[in-house]
Each structure stands twice: as C-alpha cells, then as structure tokens.
Amino acid sequence: MTDNRVPPPFIGDERSMLNSWLDWHRETLAVKCAGLSEEQLRERSVPPSTMSLLGLVRHMAHVERAWFRHVLNDEDVPLLYKTDDPDADFNDVDTASAQEALSTWQAEIEHARKLSVEVSLDAVGKRQRHGQDCSHRWILVHMIEEYARHNGHADLLRERIDGVTGE
C-alpha cells in the first residue's frame, strides 16, 4: 500500500493545523481504498453491518457535502445517496460504481476546500444543524472526528480484504 500522505505539522496556526489534520484523514481513507478492485471495495465487514470501503467513501462524500455546502454555505444542492433508506450510502453499494463514488468524493473535498479557505473559523454556518448554529471551526473539528472514526473502520475492512495494515 503506497502512502504519500503529508503528516500534519507539530507547530502551526489553528487554521493550518485543522486543515492539515482534515487533509491527513481524507488521504488516509484514500490510502485504505487504493489498489483494490471494485468488488473488494464493495466487500462488507461482518453481519449485520453493511459497512464497506465503498460505503465509507459514499458516506464521506455525503458528509462533506452536508456540512460544507449545506450548513456552512447554504447551497441548494441535493444530498448525496439519500433515498427512503437513510443508510443508502452504505446499503446501496452492490451495483454502485466505485469510480463514480471516488470521483464524487474528491469533487466534494475540493469544493469544501474552496469554501473553507474563504471563511473565518469563527463564521457561523448559514444553515442550522438540528436547530443549532455551527461555527466553521466546529465543522472542521467534527469532520476530523468523523474521518478518524471511519478510518478506524477502514483499517479493519482493509485488513480483512487483503491483510494490509498501516496507520
């Protein structure tokens, strides 16, 4: 497994530290998916879980869009992978295209980066989440937490698929 991630700096201002850690975790998920076939990316963990690496990529594309486009910037774009099944991002991977999901995820990351660079960390999102205002800082910290949690899942999935382990 090739790992070209740039480690976050030990010293830096708050914005660069938050962005570095978020990018580190985004890249970690990419590393966990690298070199696998579409079928391997679809492989589920263990019943009753429907979690797969492809499901994680689809979920994180949805999360990037929801927090940056919807909450932070109030863009009128549909949420990704949402149907009557609230877990469609995880459940509907049997015929989903891995290439499409990876491309969508990367596009959402790039869009989030562009939005984020223009906004103060103290700025409040233009939409509320669960009836609460959210600062840009909170969104960045939450995204780091969200990726960190799911990257733990990705570690286990990757090891189950082909035995590859790594940070």
Side-chain angles (χ1 to χ4, degrees):
M1 183 166 58
T2 304
D3 184 353
N4 295 320
R5 293 174 297 165
V6 176
F10 289 105
I11 298 172
D13 64 84
E14 183 181 16
R15 181 182 285 272
S16 64
M17 197 66 72
L18 290 170
N19 288 333
S20 294
W21 275 107
L22 181 51
D23 282 340
W24 169 266
H25 281 292
R26 286 167 168 158
E27 275 301 305
T28 298
L29 183 55
V31 165
K32 295 299 173 182
C33 294
L36 296 176
S37 69
E38 193 156 289
E39 292 75 27
Q40 288 172 311
L41 290 170
R42 285 188 184 123
E43 281 189 36
R44 310 293 183 146
S45 58
V46 293
S49 175
T50 60
M51 192 174 297
S52 65
L53 288 168
L54 181 55
L56 287 173
V57 167
R58 288 164 47 101
H59 177 68
M60 292 313 299
H62 162 74
V63 170
E64 292 271 0
R65 179 175 280 202
W67 283 107
F68 289 100
R69 288 189 185 217
H70 282 246
V71 175
L72 186 63
N73 203 44
D74 194 26
E75 291 182 33
D76 187 22
V77 293
L79 293 174
L80 294 170
Y81 311 116
K82 290 301 168 189
T83 65
D84 290 338
D85 176 0
D87 294 320
D89 42 1
F90 289 109
N91 295 339
D92 295 347
V93 298
D94 292 339
T95 59
S97 164
Q99 183 177 4
E100 180 276 329
L102 289 162
S103 294
T104 298
W105 175 50
Q106 289 302 315
E108 291 302 326
I109 288 170
E110 288 309 312
H111 196 85
R113 283 182 180 136
K114 287 176 187 169
L115 290 174
S116 190
V117 77
E118 298 174 2
V119 178
S120 161
L121 293 176
D122 293 322
V124 174
K126 295 177 182 176
R127 282 190 196 177
Q128 291 187 326
R129 178 71 175 192
H130 303 299
Q132 297 289 317
D133 288 333
C134 298
S135 72
H136 181 211
R137 178 183 287 104
W138 190 96
I139 291 169
L140 291 171
V141 171
H142 173 68
M143 290 299 295
I144 292 166
E145 172 272 325
E146 181 90 4
Y147 271 102
R149 181 165 42 97
H150 288 311
N151 282 337
H153 300 133
D155 281 338
L156 295 171
L157 285 161
R158 181 64 190 248
E159 185 174 8
R160 182 180 175 278
I161 291 166
D162 65 359
V164 172
T165 61
E167 187 176 331

